[in-house]
Structure formats: C-alpha cells, structure tokens
Amino acid sequence: MATDQQKFFMRQAIKLALDNVQNGKGGPFGAVIVKDDQIIASGANSVTRTNDPTAHAEVMAIRAACEQLQSFQLSDCELYTSCEPCPMCLGAIYWARPKKVYFAATKVDAANINFDDQFIYDEIALPHADRQIPFEPLLQDEAIAVFEAWTDSTQKVPY
Amino acid sequence: MATDQQKFFMRQAIKLALDNVQNGKGGPFGAVIVKDDQIIASGANSVTRTNDPTAHAEVMAIRAACEQLQSFQLSDCELYTSCEPCPMCLGAIYWARPKKVYFAATKVDAANINFDDQFIYDEIALPHADRQIPFEPLLQDEAIAVFEAWTDSTQKVPY
C-alpha cells in the first residue's frame, strides 16, 4: 500500500502536469525527484515552449536534480512521474540510476491522448533497415579506433 | 555504397569523439546533424563534465540543432553518430524525427569498452516489477484527470 508521503510526492508531480496544461506551457506531464524524504528537483514537459524534443518532465527533473547534487548519478533518489516514462526517459532513468520510480498514468493512457510511446517501443525492436527512420552503418572501424584510444587513455573519467 | 560526403560527415562525428577522449572532456562519442548538405549542429558526450546523465552526443546535437532551427522537429535532417544510439538517444531521435541516422560503432563495440546499452534494452523488455530499478504504479486516476484537461484545453500546442 502506498503511504501518505508517497501520495503527496506523486500529487506534486501531477500538479506540475496540471499547471503545465492550465498555463499552456507544454504537455500534461510532471515529475519530481525525492531524496531523504525531500523534493530536491522537479520538471514539467517543456518541448514546445523551449523547442527541445528532449525536454520531457523526467529528463528536466533528472537534469535539475543532478545539477542540485553536482553528480551525474541519482543514487538514493526516487523519481515520481505523472506518466509512465517513454523510452527516452526510461533510458535517461537507467543512466541516472535512481533507486525507484513511481508512475501514475500508463503508456496506454498516454496513447489515448495521442502521445504514442508504443510506436517507439515497437521501432526499438525492429532491425535497423526496417525502421521508419532508417539506421545505416558507416565507417565502423574508424570509430572503434577511438574506442581503443578511450581504453588506453589515462585521463578518462569512467562511468 | 556510402558517398564521400557521407563519409566526411561521419568523420566529423568521429573526430568529435576523438577530441573528447584526447582532451579528457567525456566519453568517446560524437554526433553531427546535417541539413541541406551542411552541418548545422554537433555534440559530444558531456556527462561527467556537466554532471548531466542525459548529455550524450546525440542528445547534445539534437538540442543544438533544434535551437539553431527554432523547432522541436528535425524534419529533413540527417544524424551522423559515431556509435549506435542507446535507448535514451534512440527515443530522443524518434521525438525529433530526423529523416535518417548513420552510425559507426555498434552497441556491441560500445559494450566491449564497458558502455553497456544492452542492459537497458533488456530492462525495457521486462515487466515493471522485475526491473533492477523497480517501477511502481500510483494514483493513475488523478493523472488521467489531467490528461482529460489536456484534451479539453483550447490553448495547447499539440505535438
């Protein structure tokens, strides 16, 4: 069973989504990031307002939390998002590594209002050449040479 | 067969990756975005330097190109990336909608130097509760109410 505190945090994320709609600032999506029972960062969908297709609520919140913590990892943090993350945000979550994610609406609910993440999930599973945006390999060997330079580098910050 | 121009653009992306390694600025990944046979934006992995786990080369290049074009869509653009995109970048690509993607190294090559995207691809396919970062549903109905407000809104910018 969800605790009152968990519900409080999720309602903050949902409130950001509603504020976004009511003020015409962007899509109906909000997110907050919690550490030690405190909200440390939040985000709302800002794609159309900022001309940034990556400015989903989760990405905005992750960026803000990392800036707040001066870290590229969100260990010991929890993400509350008003909607199940799209593949981009899911990827961002795995790179940031919070310990848990709570979501309210599902990707089916999002598809019902024409935010169709399922299309991307389907494309991910297809071979490169069969995707609606074609992916074509080119100069693999020259890029691998750079990977070898990375492996040999003594000044890298691994992550 | 790839044209000399396509190879030129990819070598610019690979050069950004090499520059990143040689100058200790971040992971060995670079990307450029081309429109009308011109590079309009570029990006290199900046995760550790900027404390932003979303600052992959492709995301950086997409953001810069969208700012350049003052648009959240990259119609008629091509993306050249020195490595096959991770799930986050793949999602960002689908939201930005360039017409084609060229990549050099593969995700297998990336895994060989410990950038293991495959882990995220595997997690995407799992049920919420079985993921290494658990995903838990909460207050779905309250978020759906915001989606309904979005549907009814007369001031929204659909996308």
Side-chain angles (χ1 to χ4, degrees), chain B residues 32-139:
Chain B
V32 301
I33 289 173
V34 171
K35 186 176 185 183
D36 300 333
D37 299 329
Q38 302 277 343
I39 293 175
I40 60 163
S42 64
N45 180 287
S46 308
V47 170
T48 53
R49 185 171 59 79
T50 63
N51 283 322
D52 180 353
T54 75
H56 285 198
E58 298 93 326
V59 166
M60 299 289 282
I62 287 170
R63 280 187 207 148
C66 287
E67 192 177 341
Q68 176 73 15
L69 298 176
Q70 288 290 299
S71 168
F72 56 86
Q73 297 284 269
L74 295 178
S75 323
D76 303 321
C77 294
E78 294 175 326
L79 173 69
Y80 289 78
T81 172
S82 69
C83 186
E84 188 176 352
C86 79
M88 174 181 72
C89 293
L90 193 73
I93 288 165
Y94 275 94
W95 292 121
R97 300 191 183 88
K99 65 180 174 185
K100 189 159 185 179
V101 175
Y102 296 90
F103 65 95
T106 67
K107 60 186 176 186
V108 175
D109 301 327
N112 287 341
I113 58 162
N114 300 316
F115 288 94
D116 190 6
D117 304 351
Q118 190 57 49
F119 168 67
I120 302 179
Y121 282 104
D122 293 343
E123 288 277 299
I124 285 177
L126 292 177
H128 291 130
D130 296 345
R131 292 180 182 165
Q132 292 204 16
I133 300 176
F135 280 60
E136 188 170 314
L138 182 66
L139 300 180

Side-chain angles (χ1 to χ4, degrees), chain A residues 95 143-153 156-159, chain B residues 17 21 26-29 45 82-83 105-117:
Chain A
W95 292 121
I144 289 177
V146 177
F147 284 1
E148 289 166 354
W150 167 263
T151 299
D152 295 341
S153 170
K156 65 176 175 279
V157 181
Y159 74 97
Chain B
V21 175
F29 307 102
N45 180 287
S82 69
C83 186
T106 67
K107 60 186 176 186
V108 175
D109 301 327
N112 287 341
I113 58 162
N114 300 316
F115 288 94
D116 190 6
D117 304 351

